[in-house]
Amino acid sequence: MTNVVIFGAPGSGKGTQSELIIKKYGFKHFSTGDILRKQIAAESELGKIAKTFIDRGQLVTDELIIDMIAKELDTVKDASGIIFDGFPRTYAQAEALKKILNEKGTDVTVMLNIQVDDDELIKRLLERGKVSGRSDDNLETITKRIQTYYNQTAPVIDFYQNEGTAVDIKGVGSIDDIFGSIAEAIDSKTIK
Ligand code: B4P
């Protein structure tokens, strides 16, 4: 099974590129952001807690996220691959994902580290905010989300560099060109 971690700062294009990966490879998509937004819309207990963090530009606690992902993974039957989009976002989440996958006899195949500078991230998220209706796509929250990324999420890069699975992807340019680099990275780790 191919397990792809799609990684990057908020607005780096993880969701956008995940859709193209699904189209080409048919992998199953786990987006922690999407799952949380569904929980918020459903006004579940998890959704209510998650909203307080998301609206402040903070990460939802590791415990809630790891539990949520473990449950989602238990529902997967015969998938040829999985895309983890927006997860792991902390070092502890990366360790937990490794443990869960190892217990299933598998591991992360490739981590795609999408790199985009802060000015471009802010520009994209403000633009998305005009149509997304997302409560976290405003300048104040975007700025906090980017800070949270550097403080808590960037260390995840070290984790995958040590594992030997991290591949840097230039995330600025046309969506198709970026996808070209992503497909090359996935193929280089899967086609022997
Ligand atoms: P997410 O939903 O994961 O969202 P994101 O990081 O904001 O966006 P993404 O990188 O997917 O960008 P997109 O493709 O849309 O997280 C939301 C919140 O949920 C987090 O802040 C956190 O609070 C919580 N959360 C989620 N996972 C968590 C976890 N594991 N632990 C704890 N908390 C968690 O692209 C953005 C925009 O750019 C789009 O409008 C797109 O059209 C545009 N774009 C994309 N590629 C482009 C390109 N090449 N050129 C120009 N524009 C481009």
Side-chain angles (χ1 to χ4, degrees), residues 10 13-16 32 37 58 60 86 89 93 128 145 173 178:
K14 301 182 292 289
T16 305
T32 40
R37 280 186 290 278
Q58 294 171 352
V60 178
R89 253 181 163 94
Q93 290 181 17
R128 185 174 72 182
R145 286 160 67 197
I178 297 165

Side-chain angles (χ1 to χ4, degrees), residues 9-17 31-34 36-37 53-54 57-60 65 85-89 93 120 124-125 128 134 136 145 171-175 178:
S12 54
K14 301 182 292 289
T16 305
Q17 294 296 333
S31 159
T32 40
D34 286 351
L36 292 170
R37 280 186 290 278
F53 290 100
I54 291 175
Q58 294 171 352
L59 296 180
V60 178
I65 295 285
D85 168 2
F87 175 85
R89 253 181 163 94
Q93 290 181 17
E120 173 73 13
R124 286 183 191 179
L125 292 173
R128 185 174 72 182
R134 275 177 56 165
D136 57 347
R145 286 160 67 197
V172 183
S174 84
I175 289 171
I178 297 165

Side-chain angles (χ1 to χ4, degrees), residues 25 34 44 50-51 59 62-63 70 72 76 85-86 100 102 113 126 135 145 149 160 162 173-175 190:
Y25 297 92
D34 286 351
S44 70
K51 188 169 178 2
L59 296 180
D62 285 338
E63 204 189 343
E72 289 281 330
V76 177
D85 168 2
I100 296 169
N102 286 356
N113 177 26
L126 285 176
S135 56
R145 286 160 67 197
Y149 168 79
Y160 289 105
N162 291 334
S174 84
I175 289 171
T190 51

Side-chain angles (χ1 to χ4, degrees), residues 110-183:
V110 60
M111 181 270 213
L112 305 163
N113 177 26
I114 307 183
Q115 298 173 318
V116 176
D117 60 73
D118 294 357
D119 288 347
E120 173 73 13
L121 295 173
I122 294 169
K123 199 175 100 197
R124 286 183 191 179
L125 292 173
L126 285 176
E127 207 43 50
R128 185 174 72 182
K130 290 181 192 163
V131 288
S132 68
R134 275 177 56 165
S135 56
D136 57 347
D137 280 346
N138 59 76
L139 187 57
E140 193 189 343
T141 314
I142 291 166
T143 310
K144 285 191 194 137
R145 286 160 67 197
I146 294 174
Q147 273 165 12
T148 303
Y149 168 79
Y150 286 114
N151 294 338
Q152 289 175 265
T153 305
V156 171
I157 299 168
D158 286 345
F159 182 92
Y160 289 105
Q161 275 172 347
N162 291 334
E163 294 279 308
T165 48
V167 179
D168 289 345
I169 303 287
K170 181 172 163 272
V172 183
S174 84
I175 289 171
D176 285 346
D177 285 349
I178 297 165
F179 181 64
S181 315
I182 285 181

